[in-house]
Amino acid sequence: MRFSYLEPEFLVERNLERCIRCQVCVRQCAFEAHRYDAASDVVTVDSSRCVGCLRCVTMCPTDALIVRQNPTTFKENANWTGRVIKNIYKQAETGGVLLTGMGNDRPYPIYWDHMVLNASQVTNPSIDPLREPMELKTYLGRKPERLDVSVKDGKISLNTKLAPQLELRMPVVFSALSYGAISFNASKALASAAYEFGTYYNTGEGGLHRDLYRYGERTIVQCASGRFGVHKDYLQAAAAIEIKIGQGAKPGIGGHLPGEKVSREVSRTRMIPEGSDALSPAPHHDIYSIEDLRQLIYALKEATRYEKPVSVKIAAVHNSAAIASGMVRAGADIIALDGIRGGTGAAPTTIRDNVGIPIELAIASVDQRLREEGIRHQASILAAGGFRSSSDVIKAIALGADAVYIGTSALVAMGCHLCQICYTGKCNWGIATQDPYLEKRLNPEIAKERLMNLLRAWEHEIKEMLGGMGINAIESLRGNRLHLRGVGLTDSELEILGILPAGR
Amino acid sequence: MRISAKGLHYRTLNEKIHHLVDSGAKSLHVTHVNGQRYIGGGLQGDIRLTLEGVPGNDLAAFMDGPRIRVKGNAQDGVANTMNAGEVIIDGNAGDVLGYGMRGGRVFIRGSVGYRVGIHMKSFEKQVPVMVVGGSARDFLGEYQAGGIILVLGLGLAPGEPIAGYMVGTGMHGGVMYVRGKVEDWQIGREVKIFELDEADYKTMRPHLRAFARAFRLDLDEIMAEPFLKMIPYSKRPYGRIYAY
């Protein structure tokens, strides 16, 4: 290896009194930070190889390991921080584009943390969800202009033909995570958890593995610019189809699954040759306008005979509201918005960290625009991009979303430690890898249980918060911004979010 | 069975076709086709469709098996993400022909527009084939990941280009054969022009024979002119642009 100016990002410290030289750490680290020297019976550490995933720390039976941020610092400089200097070193050493995984880690304002919810006091009783019915069921899809109902002999019948809908037990859906970027076991865990819980998961653009067809009725399949694995049976198997235009982690650019991740199974699922790069062009080459988008939406509707809602996913950008209006008019039944904190398996760091807008502002402006134009009912809003907790979810609903997509939270539930090196394919947690040795570390049954536990916990918390506001159905909170107040926000931020400051 | 598309909205026409196919029709002859989109969209099985007139955009999109003959021109987006089957067009076709096409074959007697064969790909035994009788415009075979694109330049005026520019930009699989001249300035950085060898002729011949038969052309006459071949440098054109 060529000499590098880069100091290790982490220091791995081994407590030799505790270490029993069992070599678990050696076997667990795909980056080979730990090595065992049989001759001298010692385990050595190369901290420069550590990515900070904490797998070794978690698995060490004697708690002999500590991984911490390398405390060595460059001379203090407000402009030339260690991060900036290290990035320049990396690029000077390789001449390459900086690559990263997961969502934006820069300190942009998180508006969820500047919005507070209301609760009933005295004048409007709160509701206890443990003892009273509480409805979180959510339907995604186009709603009718009006309902034509006829009453005959006291029986009511609906004459309006309703557009196809997705029925969610609660307004949380697993976001697009493609097989290829994540392991089969991770895909299976997401699919089976969505299926058992009563929500949906999204295949991403990596196709649908043949063993996951049985979860089809709880599957949203994607049709992206590379059209990987897109064919009639794939479209037919799904509950809904999503046209992927953009992604919050990398708005405006395409995807690129490196050839080494295109294993035999990934190749079969994506329907591309083994070992070749899977290039998703930045644009769909048949979509240059709203009219072209309409053409693809209806091509998919025609191909599946109008039985499935069609979602269109875009990255939240400056003119999202106008684009969303066009998307609804183009026939999208669901508008999926992915904010600047949205995750990814691989993206150029500079794009991830600098392009797009926070999801909170996008939800507010899109919801507002669609309402003003009288077309809000024609499509549901599915928001994505860094939802961390049930309170983020409920605030998003109050702001105007119909439901949210969670990707990172779901990965964390399965064991992800956010070390952001998904693009290497060496995920020690068995999530973002195609290496059979690493993949089997993720037990799909246990991962499914963990995902369902997370959903159940959020479900209960959402009910508690709803009940506290005196509301017994999530429907009644949707777009009900009077239940939100802003704390520490500027006038223009409050105006865009459409909320009052706390105290008013 | 004959049906008329006269005055029908595409949704009505396509539902009619689906309905007939569901009830067992194996061969349909549709007359008065006039711009109706998505004909054959998502259709599966061993079915023949003959279309008289000009079908609209996205003909045979996501199609998986049927054979379509168009007695006329076609518009944009023919064979979009087609998985299997055959589309034969007696006239010209528009832009984005065969986008993401993964199998089956498309024969165009005349010329085609821009962005043709983008991201065509092959997979195991599925090797999509596209034969264009005339010429193609810019961005032919962009991002091509597999399959065979053949452009024959039949009936071009002297000096008329057989292809536009940016041919094969981002190409990382498959092959393009052009019966005529393509200059280096017309092609993308990821492709290179080669002379044909015996294996290439062996690859091309059955497709050209089928093409000649479909349009009653003389195969020997087609084969008599020199071809050139374009293939990508690498399966991984962008393998080395990242740091670490």
Side-chain angles (χ1 to χ4, degrees), chain A residues 6 93-94 97 225-227 230 232-233 256 260 264 267 273 277 279 285-286 288 295 298 300 302 305-306, chain B residues 10 14-15 18 22 38 42 44 57-58 62 80-81 99 102 115 119 121-122 124 143 236 241-244:
Chain A
L6 291 162
E93 285 170 19
T94 63
V97 170
S225 62
R227 304 285 159 84
V230 178
K232 181 62 200 303
D233 297 339
H256 177 189
E260 52 264 29
R264 170 103 197 105
S267 129
D277 278 12
L279 301 179
H285 283 275
D286 53 350
Y288 284 31
Q295 187 177 314
Y298 277 86
L300 290 164
E302 280 280 334
R305 299 173 81 171
Y306 300 88
Chain B
Y10 68 75
N14 291 330
E15 198 42 50
H18 273 296
D22 286 349
Y38 318 116
Q44 287 179 303
N57 292 355
D58 271 337
F62 307 103
N80 178 358
T81 325
Y99 177 21
R102 188 187 300 112
R115 289 175 273 140
H119 224 307
K121 42 173 89 65
S122 61
E124 294 185 342
Y143 290 103
R236 306 205 42 197
I241 65 167
Y242 302 113
Y244 299 42

Short mmCIF file of all heavy atoms in Angstrom, two decimals, chain A residues 6 93-94 97 225-227 230 232-233 256 260 264 267 273 277 279 285-286 288 295 298 300 302 305-306, chain B residues 10 14-15 18 22 38 42 44 57-58 62 80-81 99 102 115 119 121-122 124 143 236 241-244:
data_model
loop_
_atom_site.label_atom_id
_atom_site.label_comp_id
_atom_site.label_asym_id
_atom_site.label_seq_id
_atom_site.Cartn_x
_atom_site.Cartn_y
_atom_site.Cartn_z
N LEU A 6 -3.24 10.02 5.70
CA LEU A 6 -4.45 9.94 6.51
C LEU A 6 -4.19 9.24 7.84
O LEU A 6 -3.70 8.11 7.87
CB LEU A 6 -5.54 9.19 5.76
CG LEU A 6 -6.12 9.90 4.55
CD1 LEU A 6 -6.84 8.91 3.65
CD2 LEU A 6 -7.06 11.02 4.97
N GLU A 93 -4.60 11.55 -3.11
CA GLU A 93 -3.99 10.23 -3.19
C GLU A 93 -4.59 9.36 -4.28
O GLU A 93 -3.94 8.46 -4.81
CB GLU A 93 -4.10 9.51 -1.82
CG GLU A 93 -3.10 10.09 -0.81
CD GLU A 93 -3.34 9.60 0.62
OE1 GLU A 93 -4.02 8.58 0.80
OE2 GLU A 93 -2.84 10.25 1.55
N THR A 94 -5.86 9.61 -4.62
CA THR A 94 -6.54 8.71 -5.56
C THR A 94 -7.03 9.38 -6.84
O THR A 94 -7.28 8.71 -7.84
CB THR A 94 -7.80 8.09 -4.91
OG1 THR A 94 -8.71 9.16 -4.60
CG2 THR A 94 -7.46 7.34 -3.65
N VAL A 97 -13.62 10.43 -7.01
CA VAL A 97 -14.80 11.04 -6.40
C VAL A 97 -14.97 10.43 -5.01
O VAL A 97 -14.88 9.22 -4.85
CB VAL A 97 -16.04 10.72 -7.27
CG1 VAL A 97 -17.33 11.11 -6.57
CG2 VAL A 97 -15.92 11.40 -8.63
N SER A 225 -34.58 4.12 -14.01
CA SER A 225 -34.05 4.38 -15.35
C SER A 225 -33.31 3.19 -15.93
O SER A 225 -33.27 3.01 -17.14
CB SER A 225 -33.13 5.59 -15.30
OG SER A 225 -32.04 5.32 -14.46
N GLY A 226 -32.73 2.34 -15.06
CA GLY A 226 -32.00 1.18 -15.57
C GLY A 226 -32.92 0.01 -15.88
O GLY A 226 -32.49 -0.96 -16.49
N ARG A 227 -34.18 0.10 -15.41
CA ARG A 227 -35.20 -0.94 -15.65
C ARG A 227 -34.73 -2.32 -15.22
O ARG A 227 -35.06 -3.33 -15.87
CB ARG A 227 -35.60 -0.97 -17.14
CG ARG A 227 -36.10 0.34 -17.68
CD ARG A 227 -37.50 0.63 -17.19
NE ARG A 227 -37.82 2.04 -17.27
CZ ARG A 227 -38.26 2.68 -18.33
NH1 ARG A 227 -38.47 2.02 -19.44
NH2 ARG A 227 -38.52 3.96 -18.30
N VAL A 230 -37.24 -5.35 -14.36
CA VAL A 230 -38.62 -4.93 -14.63
C VAL A 230 -39.19 -5.75 -15.79
O VAL A 230 -38.68 -5.68 -16.90
CB VAL A 230 -38.70 -3.43 -14.98
CG1 VAL A 230 -40.14 -3.03 -15.28
CG2 VAL A 230 -38.13 -2.58 -13.86
N LYS A 232 -43.10 -8.12 -16.91
CA LYS A 232 -44.53 -8.20 -16.64
C LYS A 232 -44.83 -8.88 -15.31
O LYS A 232 -45.62 -8.37 -14.51
CB LYS A 232 -45.22 -8.94 -17.79
CG LYS A 232 -46.72 -9.07 -17.64
CD LYS A 232 -47.41 -7.71 -17.59
CE LYS A 232 -48.81 -7.73 -16.99
NZ LYS A 232 -49.76 -8.60 -17.59
N ASP A 233 -44.21 -10.01 -15.02
CA ASP A 233 -44.53 -10.75 -13.80
C ASP A 233 -44.16 -9.94 -12.55
O ASP A 233 -44.84 -10.01 -11.53
CB ASP A 233 -43.79 -12.09 -13.77
CG ASP A 233 -44.22 -13.00 -14.91
OD1 ASP A 233 -45.33 -12.76 -15.45
OD2 ASP A 233 -43.46 -13.91 -15.28
N HIS A 256 -25.29 3.36 -9.39
CA HIS A 256 -24.18 2.61 -9.95
C HIS A 256 -23.83 1.48 -8.99
O HIS A 256 -23.19 1.71 -7.97
CB HIS A 256 -22.99 3.58 -10.13
CG HIS A 256 -21.75 2.91 -10.62
ND1 HIS A 256 -20.55 3.55 -10.67
CD2 HIS A 256 -21.55 1.67 -11.09
CE1 HIS A 256 -19.63 2.71 -11.14
NE2 HIS A 256 -20.23 1.56 -11.40
N GLU A 260 -18.63 -5.93 -8.77
CA GLU A 260 -18.32 -6.96 -7.77
C GLU A 260 -19.51 -7.30 -6.88
O GLU A 260 -19.52 -8.33 -6.21
CB GLU A 260 -17.08 -6.61 -6.92
CG GLU A 260 -17.07 -5.27 -6.27
CD GLU A 260 -16.31 -4.26 -7.13
OE1 GLU A 260 -16.27 -4.40 -8.37
OE2 GLU A 260 -15.76 -3.32 -6.55
N ARG A 264 -24.23 -13.91 -8.63
CA ARG A 264 -25.12 -14.77 -9.41
C ARG A 264 -26.60 -14.45 -9.14
O ARG A 264 -27.38 -14.25 -10.04
CB ARG A 264 -24.80 -16.23 -9.03
CG ARG A 264 -25.74 -17.25 -9.53
CD ARG A 264 -25.15 -17.98 -10.74
NE ARG A 264 -26.20 -18.67 -11.47
CZ ARG A 264 -26.69 -18.25 -12.62
NH1 ARG A 264 -26.22 -17.17 -13.20
NH2 ARG A 264 -27.64 -18.93 -13.22
N SER A 267 -27.56 -10.95 -10.17
CA SER A 267 -27.66 -10.94 -11.63
C SER A 267 -29.00 -11.51 -12.09
O SER A 267 -29.66 -10.96 -12.96
CB SER A 267 -26.47 -11.71 -12.22
OG SER A 267 -26.88 -12.67 -13.14
N PRO A 273 -26.09 -9.42 -16.76
CA PRO A 273 -25.00 -10.38 -16.64
C PRO A 273 -24.24 -10.25 -15.32
O PRO A 273 -24.11 -9.15 -14.78
CB PRO A 273 -24.09 -10.05 -17.82
CG PRO A 273 -24.92 -9.26 -18.76
CD PRO A 273 -25.92 -8.54 -17.93
N ASP A 277 -21.24 -3.95 -14.27
CA ASP A 277 -21.77 -2.82 -13.52
C ASP A 277 -23.26 -2.66 -13.84
O ASP A 277 -23.67 -2.82 -14.98
CB ASP A 277 -21.05 -1.53 -13.94
CG ASP A 277 -19.72 -1.37 -13.23
OD1 ASP A 277 -19.27 -2.34 -12.62
OD2 ASP A 277 -19.16 -0.27 -13.31
N LEU A 279 -25.62 0.10 -14.20
CA LEU A 279 -25.67 1.55 -14.29
C LEU A 279 -27.11 2.01 -14.42
O LEU A 279 -27.82 1.61 -15.32
CB LEU A 279 -24.90 2.04 -15.52
CG LEU A 279 -23.43 1.69 -15.63
CD1 LEU A 279 -22.85 2.25 -16.91
CD2 LEU A 279 -22.67 2.23 -14.43
N HIS A 285 -34.48 7.90 -19.93
CA HIS A 285 -34.27 8.50 -21.24
C HIS A 285 -35.55 8.65 -22.04
O HIS A 285 -35.53 9.15 -23.15
CB HIS A 285 -33.21 7.71 -22.00
CG HIS A 285 -31.83 8.02 -21.50
ND1 HIS A 285 -31.12 9.09 -21.97
CD2 HIS A 285 -31.08 7.46 -20.55
CE1 HIS A 285 -29.97 9.15 -21.33
NE2 HIS A 285 -29.92 8.17 -20.46
N ASP A 286 -36.66 8.20 -21.47
CA ASP A 286 -37.93 8.45 -22.14
C ASP A 286 -38.74 9.51 -21.39
O ASP A 286 -39.89 9.71 -21.69
CB ASP A 286 -38.72 7.15 -22.31
CG ASP A 286 -38.91 6.38 -21.01
OD1 ASP A 286 -38.28 6.76 -20.00
OD2 ASP A 286 -39.69 5.42 -21.00
N TYR A 288 -38.59 13.40 -20.51
CA TYR A 288 -37.98 14.73 -20.59
C TYR A 288 -38.98 15.81 -20.20
O TYR A 288 -38.72 16.99 -20.31
CB TYR A 288 -37.48 15.00 -22.02
CG TYR A 288 -36.19 14.27 -22.39
CD1 TYR A 288 -35.88 13.03 -21.84
CD2 TYR A 288 -35.28 14.83 -23.28
CE1 TYR A 288 -34.71 12.36 -22.18
CE2 TYR A 288 -34.11 14.18 -23.62
CZ TYR A 288 -33.83 12.94 -23.07
OH TYR A 288 -32.67 12.29 -23.41
N GLN A 295 -46.72 9.54 -19.83
CA GLN A 295 -46.67 8.38 -20.73
C GLN A 295 -46.19 7.13 -20.00
O GLN A 295 -46.76 6.05 -20.17
CB GLN A 295 -45.74 8.70 -21.90
CG GLN A 295 -45.75 7.62 -22.97
CD GLN A 295 -44.89 8.01 -24.14
OE1 GLN A 295 -44.96 9.12 -24.64
NE2 GLN A 295 -44.07 7.10 -24.60
N TYR A 298 -48.85 5.87 -17.46
CA TYR A 298 -49.95 5.15 -18.10
C TYR A 298 -49.49 3.88 -18.80
O TYR A 298 -50.27 2.93 -18.93
CB TYR A 298 -50.78 6.09 -19.00
CG TYR A 298 -51.77 6.85 -18.15
CD1 TYR A 298 -51.42 8.03 -17.51
CD2 TYR A 298 -53.03 6.32 -17.88
CE1 TYR A 298 -52.30 8.69 -16.66
CE2 TYR A 298 -53.92 6.96 -17.04
CZ TYR A 298 -53.55 8.15 -16.44
OH TYR A 298 -54.42 8.78 -15.58
N LEU A 300 -47.41 1.90 -17.45
CA LEU A 300 -47.44 0.94 -16.34
C LEU A 300 -48.87 0.60 -15.95
O LEU A 300 -49.19 -0.55 -15.64
CB LEU A 300 -46.66 1.51 -15.15
CG LEU A 300 -45.15 1.59 -15.36
CD1 LEU A 300 -44.49 2.51 -14.34
CD2 LEU A 300 -44.52 0.21 -15.32
N GLU A 302 -51.46 0.70 -17.93
CA GLU A 302 -52.01 -0.14 -18.99
C GLU A 302 -51.47 -1.57 -18.87
O GLU A 302 -52.21 -2.53 -19.03
CB GLU A 302 -51.62 0.44 -20.36
CG GLU A 302 -52.49 1.60 -20.81
CD GLU A 302 -53.82 1.14 -21.39
OE1 GLU A 302 -53.89 0.01 -21.90
OE2 GLU A 302 -54.79 1.92 -21.32
N ARG A 305 -53.28 -3.13 -16.14
CA ARG A 305 -54.74 -2.95 -16.29
C ARG A 305 -55.38 -2.15 -15.16
O ARG A 305 -56.44 -2.50 -14.66
CB ARG A 305 -55.39 -4.31 -16.50
CG ARG A 305 -54.86 -4.96 -17.78
CD ARG A 305 -55.33 -6.36 -17.98
NE ARG A 305 -56.67 -6.42 -18.54
CZ ARG A 305 -57.23 -7.56 -18.97
NH1 ARG A 305 -56.56 -8.67 -18.90
NH2 ARG A 305 -58.44 -7.54 -19.46
N TYR A 306 -54.71 -1.09 -14.77
CA TYR A 306 -55.26 -0.13 -13.81
C TYR A 306 -55.61 -0.76 -12.46
O TYR A 306 -56.48 -0.28 -11.74
CB TYR A 306 -56.49 0.58 -14.41
CG TYR A 306 -56.15 1.34 -15.66
CD1 TYR A 306 -56.20 0.71 -16.90
CD2 TYR A 306 -55.75 2.67 -15.61
CE1 TYR A 306 -55.85 1.39 -18.06
CE2 TYR A 306 -55.41 3.37 -16.75
CZ TYR A 306 -55.46 2.72 -17.98
OH TYR A 306 -55.11 3.41 -19.12
N TYR B 10 -57.32 4.97 -26.47
CA TYR B 10 -56.42 3.82 -26.28
C TYR B 10 -56.89 2.90 -25.18
O TYR B 10 -56.74 1.69 -25.26
CB TYR B 10 -54.98 4.27 -26.04
CG TYR B 10 -54.68 5.00 -24.75
CD1 TYR B 10 -54.60 4.31 -23.54
CD2 TYR B 10 -54.43 6.38 -24.73
CE1 TYR B 10 -54.31 4.96 -22.36
CE2 TYR B 10 -54.15 7.04 -23.55
CZ TYR B 10 -54.08 6.33 -22.37
OH TYR B 10 -53.79 6.96 -21.20
N ASN B 14 -57.30 -0.96 -25.91
CA ASN B 14 -56.42 -1.93 -25.26
C ASN B 14 -57.20 -2.89 -24.36
O ASN B 14 -56.86 -4.07 -24.26
CB ASN B 14 -55.32 -1.21 -24.46
CG ASN B 14 -54.35 -0.52 -25.39
OD1 ASN B 14 -54.12 -0.97 -26.51
ND2 ASN B 14 -53.79 0.60 -24.95
N GLU B 15 -58.24 -2.37 -23.73
CA GLU B 15 -59.06 -3.24 -22.89
C GLU B 15 -59.75 -4.29 -23.78
O GLU B 15 -59.87 -5.46 -23.41
CB GLU B 15 -60.08 -2.40 -22.11
CG GLU B 15 -60.70 -3.11 -20.91
CD GLU B 15 -59.72 -3.93 -20.07
OE1 GLU B 15 -58.66 -3.40 -19.69
OE2 GLU B 15 -60.01 -5.13 -19.79
N HIS B 18 -57.10 -6.86 -24.62
CA HIS B 18 -56.89 -7.71 -23.44
C HIS B 18 -58.04 -8.68 -23.28
O HIS B 18 -57.85 -9.86 -22.99
CB HIS B 18 -56.80 -6.85 -22.17
CG HIS B 18 -55.42 -6.34 -21.89
ND1 HIS B 18 -54.37 -7.17 -21.60
CD2 HIS B 18 -54.92 -5.09 -21.82
CE1 HIS B 18 -53.29 -6.45 -21.38
NE2 HIS B 18 -53.59 -5.18 -21.51
N ASP B 22 -57.80 -12.60 -23.37
CA ASP B 22 -58.23 -13.38 -22.20
C ASP B 22 -59.24 -14.46 -22.59
O ASP B 22 -59.27 -15.53 -21.99
CB ASP B 22 -58.87 -12.47 -21.15
CG ASP B 22 -57.83 -11.64 -20.43
OD1 ASP B 22 -56.63 -11.93 -20.61
OD2 ASP B 22 -58.21 -10.69 -19.72
N TYR B 38 -49.75 2.48 -26.19
CA TYR B 38 -49.62 1.29 -25.32
C TYR B 38 -50.21 0.01 -25.90
O TYR B 38 -50.56 -0.91 -25.16
CB TYR B 38 -50.26 1.52 -23.94
CG TYR B 38 -49.98 2.88 -23.35
CD1 TYR B 38 -51.01 3.78 -23.12
CD2 TYR B 38 -48.68 3.25 -23.04
CE1 TYR B 38 -50.76 5.03 -22.58
CE2 TYR B 38 -48.41 4.50 -22.50
CZ TYR B 38 -49.46 5.39 -22.27
OH TYR B 38 -49.20 6.61 -21.74
N GLY B 42 -47.67 -4.85 -21.80
CA GLY B 42 -47.78 -5.89 -20.78
C GLY B 42 -48.45 -7.17 -21.25
O GLY B 42 -48.77 -8.04 -20.46
N GLN B 44 -48.87 -10.83 -22.64
CA GLN B 44 -48.05 -12.04 -22.54
C GLN B 44 -48.64 -13.15 -23.39
O GLN B 44 -49.84 -13.16 -23.67
CB GLN B 44 -48.00 -12.52 -21.08
CG GLN B 44 -47.13 -11.66 -20.19
CD GLN B 44 -47.10 -12.12 -18.75
OE1 GLN B 44 -48.13 -12.24 -18.11
NE2 GLN B 44 -45.89 -12.37 -18.23
N ASN B 57 -47.44 6.05 -29.06
CA ASN B 57 -46.23 5.80 -28.27
C ASN B 57 -46.34 4.53 -27.42
O ASN B 57 -47.42 4.09 -27.09
CB ASN B 57 -45.97 6.98 -27.34
CG ASN B 57 -45.59 8.23 -28.10
OD1 ASN B 57 -45.44 8.20 -29.32
ND2 ASN B 57 -45.46 9.33 -27.39
N ASP B 58 -45.17 4.04 -27.04
CA ASP B 58 -45.07 2.89 -26.14
C ASP B 58 -45.76 1.64 -26.66
O ASP B 58 -46.34 0.88 -25.89
CB ASP B 58 -45.59 3.25 -24.74
CG ASP B 58 -44.48 3.81 -23.84
OD1 ASP B 58 -43.31 3.52 -24.12
OD2 ASP B 58 -44.79 4.51 -22.87
N PHE B 62 -43.27 -3.25 -22.07
CA PHE B 62 -43.31 -4.34 -21.09
C PHE B 62 -43.90 -5.62 -21.69
O PHE B 62 -44.38 -6.49 -20.97
CB PHE B 62 -44.12 -3.96 -19.83
CG PHE B 62 -43.66 -2.67 -19.21
CD1 PHE B 62 -44.39 -1.50 -19.38
CD2 PHE B 62 -42.49 -2.62 -18.48
CE1 PHE B 62 -43.95 -0.31 -18.82
CE2 PHE B 62 -42.05 -1.45 -17.92
CZ PHE B 62 -42.79 -0.28 -18.09
N ASN B 80 -40.50 -0.58 -25.29
CA ASN B 80 -39.99 -0.08 -24.01
C ASN B 80 -39.95 -1.22 -22.99
O ASN B 80 -40.97 -1.81 -22.67
CB ASN B 80 -40.94 1.04 -23.57
CG ASN B 80 -40.58 1.64 -22.22
OD1 ASN B 80 -39.64 1.22 -21.56
ND2 ASN B 80 -41.35 2.64 -21.81
N THR B 81 -38.75 -1.56 -22.50
CA THR B 81 -38.60 -2.60 -21.49
C THR B 81 -39.26 -3.92 -21.92
O THR B 81 -39.77 -4.68 -21.11
CB THR B 81 -39.15 -2.15 -20.12
OG1 THR B 81 -38.90 -0.76 -19.94
CG2 THR B 81 -38.48 -2.90 -18.98
N TYR B 99 -35.98 0.96 -25.43
CA TYR B 99 -35.35 1.39 -24.18
C TYR B 99 -35.42 0.27 -23.14
O TYR B 99 -36.49 -0.24 -22.84
CB TYR B 99 -36.06 2.65 -23.67
CG TYR B 99 -35.57 3.19 -22.35
CD1 TYR B 99 -34.32 2.89 -21.85
CD2 TYR B 99 -36.36 4.05 -21.61
CE1 TYR B 99 -33.86 3.40 -20.65
CE2 TYR B 99 -35.92 4.58 -20.40
CZ TYR B 99 -34.68 4.25 -19.93
OH TYR B 99 -34.24 4.76 -18.73
N ARG B 102 -34.96 -6.24 -23.09
CA ARG B 102 -34.16 -7.33 -22.53
C ARG B 102 -34.23 -8.61 -23.35
O ARG B 102 -33.44 -9.52 -23.15
CB ARG B 102 -34.66 -7.58 -21.11
CG ARG B 102 -33.85 -8.53 -20.29
CD ARG B 102 -34.52 -8.82 -18.99
NE ARG B 102 -34.72 -7.64 -18.19
CZ ARG B 102 -35.91 -7.09 -17.91
NH1 ARG B 102 -37.01 -7.62 -18.37
NH2 ARG B 102 -36.00 -6.03 -17.16
N ARG B 115 -32.02 8.47 -29.53
CA ARG B 115 -31.99 7.68 -28.28
C ARG B 115 -32.54 6.27 -28.50
O ARG B 115 -33.37 5.79 -27.73
CB ARG B 115 -32.78 8.39 -27.18
CG ARG B 115 -32.13 9.64 -26.65
CD ARG B 115 -33.01 10.36 -25.67
NE ARG B 115 -33.92 11.27 -26.35
CZ ARG B 115 -35.18 11.45 -26.02
NH1 ARG B 115 -35.70 10.79 -25.02
NH2 ARG B 115 -35.93 12.29 -26.68
N HIS B 119 -29.79 1.51 -23.09
CA HIS B 119 -29.82 0.55 -21.99
C HIS B 119 -30.43 -0.79 -22.37
O HIS B 119 -31.05 -1.47 -21.55
CB HIS B 119 -30.53 1.13 -20.76
CG HIS B 119 -29.79 0.84 -19.48
ND1 HIS B 119 -29.41 -0.44 -19.14
CD2 HIS B 119 -29.34 1.64 -18.49
CE1 HIS B 119 -28.77 -0.38 -17.98
NE2 HIS B 119 -28.70 0.85 -17.58
N LYS B 121 -30.27 -4.60 -22.79
CA LYS B 121 -29.44 -5.48 -21.99
C LYS B 121 -29.75 -6.93 -22.28
O LYS B 121 -30.85 -7.26 -22.72
CB LYS B 121 -29.64 -5.18 -20.51
CG LYS B 121 -31.10 -4.94 -20.10
CD LYS B 121 -31.25 -4.82 -18.63
CE LYS B 121 -31.12 -3.43 -18.05
NZ LYS B 121 -32.12 -2.47 -18.44
N SER B 122 -28.80 -7.79 -22.04
CA SER B 122 -29.06 -9.21 -22.24
C SER B 122 -28.94 -9.91 -20.91
O SER B 122 -28.36 -9.38 -19.96
CB SER B 122 -28.06 -9.81 -23.22
OG SER B 122 -26.76 -9.68 -22.71
N GLU B 124 -28.71 -14.08 -19.48
CA GLU B 124 -28.73 -15.51 -19.76
C GLU B 124 -29.06 -15.76 -21.23
O GLU B 124 -28.35 -15.30 -22.10
CB GLU B 124 -29.67 -16.22 -18.79
CG GLU B 124 -29.11 -16.12 -17.37
CD GLU B 124 -29.89 -16.88 -16.32
OE1 GLU B 124 -31.05 -17.23 -16.57
OE2 GLU B 124 -29.31 -17.11 -15.25
N TYR B 143 -25.57 3.70 -23.16
CA TYR B 143 -25.65 2.81 -21.99
C TYR B 143 -25.94 1.37 -22.38
O TYR B 143 -26.40 0.59 -21.55
CB TYR B 143 -26.76 3.24 -21.02
CG TYR B 143 -26.51 4.50 -20.26
CD1 TYR B 143 -27.13 5.68 -20.64
CD2 TYR B 143 -25.67 4.51 -19.17
CE1 TYR B 143 -26.92 6.85 -19.93
CE2 TYR B 143 -25.45 5.67 -18.46
CZ TYR B 143 -26.08 6.84 -18.84
OH TYR B 143 -25.87 7.98 -18.14
N ARG B 236 -16.98 -2.36 -17.20
CA ARG B 236 -17.07 -1.44 -16.07
C ARG B 236 -16.49 -0.09 -16.45
O ARG B 236 -15.41 0.29 -15.99
CB ARG B 236 -16.28 -2.02 -14.89
CG ARG B 236 -16.70 -3.43 -14.52
CD ARG B 236 -16.41 -3.72 -13.10
NE ARG B 236 -16.76 -2.55 -12.30
CZ ARG B 236 -16.32 -2.35 -11.07
NH1 ARG B 236 -15.51 -3.22 -10.51
NH2 ARG B 236 -16.68 -1.29 -10.40
N ILE B 241 -13.64 5.72 -11.00
CA ILE B 241 -13.79 7.15 -10.78
C ILE B 241 -13.90 7.52 -9.31
O ILE B 241 -14.00 8.67 -8.97
CB ILE B 241 -15.00 7.73 -11.55
CG1 ILE B 241 -16.31 7.16 -11.01
CG2 ILE B 241 -14.88 7.49 -13.03
CD1 ILE B 241 -17.52 7.94 -11.53
N TYR B 242 -13.89 6.50 -8.43
CA TYR B 242 -14.10 6.80 -7.02
C TYR B 242 -12.81 6.74 -6.20
O TYR B 242 -11.91 5.98 -6.51
CB TYR B 242 -15.11 5.84 -6.41
CG TYR B 242 -16.43 5.89 -7.12
CD1 TYR B 242 -16.89 4.80 -7.86
CD2 TYR B 242 -17.20 7.04 -7.08
CE1 TYR B 242 -18.10 4.86 -8.53
CE2 TYR B 242 -18.41 7.11 -7.75
CZ TYR B 242 -18.85 6.02 -8.48
OH TYR B 242 -20.03 6.08 -9.14
N ALA B 243 -12.77 7.55 -5.14
CA ALA B 243 -11.66 7.50 -4.21
C ALA B 243 -11.91 6.32 -3.28
O ALA B 243 -12.96 6.26 -2.66
CB ALA B 243 -11.59 8.79 -3.40
N TYR B 244 -11.04 5.37 -3.22
CA TYR B 244 -11.09 4.21 -2.32
C TYR B 244 -12.25 3.27 -2.67
O TYR B 244 -13.31 3.65 -3.04
CB TYR B 244 -11.22 4.61 -0.84
CG TYR B 244 -10.04 5.43 -0.40
CD1 TYR B 244 -9.52 6.41 -1.22
CD2 TYR B 244 -9.42 5.21 0.83
CE1 TYR B 244 -8.43 7.17 -0.84
CE2 TYR B 244 -8.33 5.96 1.21
CZ TYR B 244 -7.84 6.95 0.38
OH TYR B 244 -6.76 7.69 0.77
#
